[in-house]
Amino acid sequence: MTNETDRRKRANAEVVAWKFKYEKAEQEKLYAQTHQKTVEVAVEKKVPYEKCEKCDRTAYQKAKEKCDNRKSQLEKKFKNMTTGYESILFLLAWYSITITLFTAILSPVFLNDCITFFGVLGKGMGSLFREFVIGADSFGQLSSGIPNRILSGLMYWLIVAIVMGILFIITGLLIVGIGYQVGKIYRKYCWDILSIIVAITSAAIVIYFGEWIKSVIPVNLITLLLLVHVIYIGIRCYVKDWQEERGYY
């Protein structure tokens, strides 16, 4: 009985000891769960074509250098070809324009139409100037209500100068604005070699066949030449806008 009692005491003591160890382990587990920390660990990431310690140049650098050299050579070759092509076109354009101008001077029909066209243009400008003078004079008559003759004369010329200046400024702004818009449209739609060819060709046809054209259509050759170019610009504008709407540019 004594031995049995001792064994039970030892067994109870071991149970208490294991229970204490179990409770301690549970406390440590709970502490670990409630006191976790996020630690960032640096990870090495491999990069393609990264330069290694034993190499002077990587495969990417060698390929890029080769590509850049080839690109530079092609650009120089293209520039030389473009320069030669533009020089030939310039010489041809200069030759064509020179021959066309000399032929125009020697063509009596075209020369007479030029004189007529610019004469009418000059007369129109003179008529416009006279209208400006008449209008300024009408405004200047407002000074006639001033009793002092000297002061009235000064006011007359002052009013005339102001009105003439305003009219000239408005006319100049209109001419500059119209010219700018026409130039803008021409640069956008017709600034290429095709327009030069069309201009030279149409001028050559009008000059060489001017007499025959006037026998069929009684029209001033300069006016006809301008009309042809206006129609050409309209066609180019329509075609380019049509192509842009459909995504060709």
Side-chain angles (χ1 to χ4, degrees), residues 1-239:
M1 291 293 292
T2 302
N3 293 333
E4 186 67 24
T5 302
D6 293 337
R7 282 197 296 272
R8 286 183 179 181
K9 288 181 180 180
R10 286 196 297 272
N12 290 332
E14 289 180 0
V15 169
V16 171
W18 282 107
K19 186 177 180 180
F20 175 75
K21 291 180 180 181
Y22 174 77
E23 291 177 354
K24 187 177 180 181
E26 287 291 330
Q27 291 176 358
E28 292 178 354
K29 179 181 177 182
L30 181 63
Y31 179 83
Q33 290 177 348
T34 56
H35 292 76
Q36 288 183 351
K37 294 182 179 180
T38 302
V39 180
E40 294 183 359
V41 180
V43 179
E44 183 179 357
K45 183 179 180 181
K46 294 184 178 180
V47 180
Y49 305 115
E50 187 176 1
K51 187 175 180 180
C52 62
E53 296 179 356
K54 297 180 181 180
C55 299
D56 294 333
R57 292 184 177 275
T58 62
Y60 171 75
Q61 290 173 336
K62 291 180 180 179
K64 186 176 183 301
E65 183 180 0
K66 185 177 180 180
C67 180
D68 291 340
N69 292 334
R70 182 58 177 168
K71 182 180 178 182
S72 177
Q73 293 175 1
L74 291 175
E75 286 179 350
K76 291 180 180 179
K77 186 177 179 180
F78 177 77
K79 187 176 181 181
N80 293 332
M81 293 176 64
T82 304
T83 303
Y85 175 72
E86 290 178 350
S87 300
I88 294 173
L89 288 179
F90 175 77
L91 291 175
L92 288 175
W94 176 80
Y95 177 77
S96 302
I97 293 172
T98 304
I99 296 299
T100 304
L101 289 176
F102 279 114
T103 306
I105 294 172
L106 297 175
S107 175
V109 177
F110 187 81
L111 191 60
N112 290 332
D113 280 359
C114 285
I115 295 172
T116 303
F117 178 83
F118 289 106
V120 171
L121 186 62
K123 289 180 180 179
M125 294 177 64
S127 299
L128 182 63
F129 180 76
R130 284 194 297 270
E131 292 296 329
F132 286 172
V133 172
I134 293 171
D137 180 69
S138 299
F139 279 99
Q141 296 301 325
L142 296 174
S143 63
S144 60
I146 300 175
N148 190 322
R149 185 176 179 180
I150 298 175
L151 185 59
S152 176
L154 292 174
M155 288 299 298
Y156 171 81
W157 288 111
L158 180 62
I159 293 173
V160 168
I162 293 173
V163 173
M164 289 290 290
I166 293 173
L167 291 175
F168 275 115
I169 290 173
I170 293 174
T171 305
L173 290 176
L174 286 175
I175 294 173
V176 171
I178 294 172
Y180 174 77
Q181 292 298 326
V182 172
K184 185 178 180 181
I185 293 172
Y186 198 88
R187 285 194 302 271
K188 181 178 179 182
Y189 296 100
C190 306
W191 198 255
D192 53 12
I193 189 64
L194 179 61
S195 299
I196 299 175
I197 294 173
V198 170
I200 295 175
T201 304
S202 58
I205 291 173
V206 169
I207 292 169
Y208 282 105
F209 301 100
E211 187 174 355
W212 180 81
I213 292 173
K214 287 183 71 68
S215 65
V216 178
I217 306 173
V219 64
N220 188 280
L221 295 179
I222 300 295
T223 305
L224 179 62
L225 189 62
L226 293 175
L227 182 62
V228 169
H229 212 63
V230 168
I231 294 173
Y232 164 74
I233 294 173
I235 294 172
R236 287 293 300 271
C237 294
Y238 174 77
V239 171

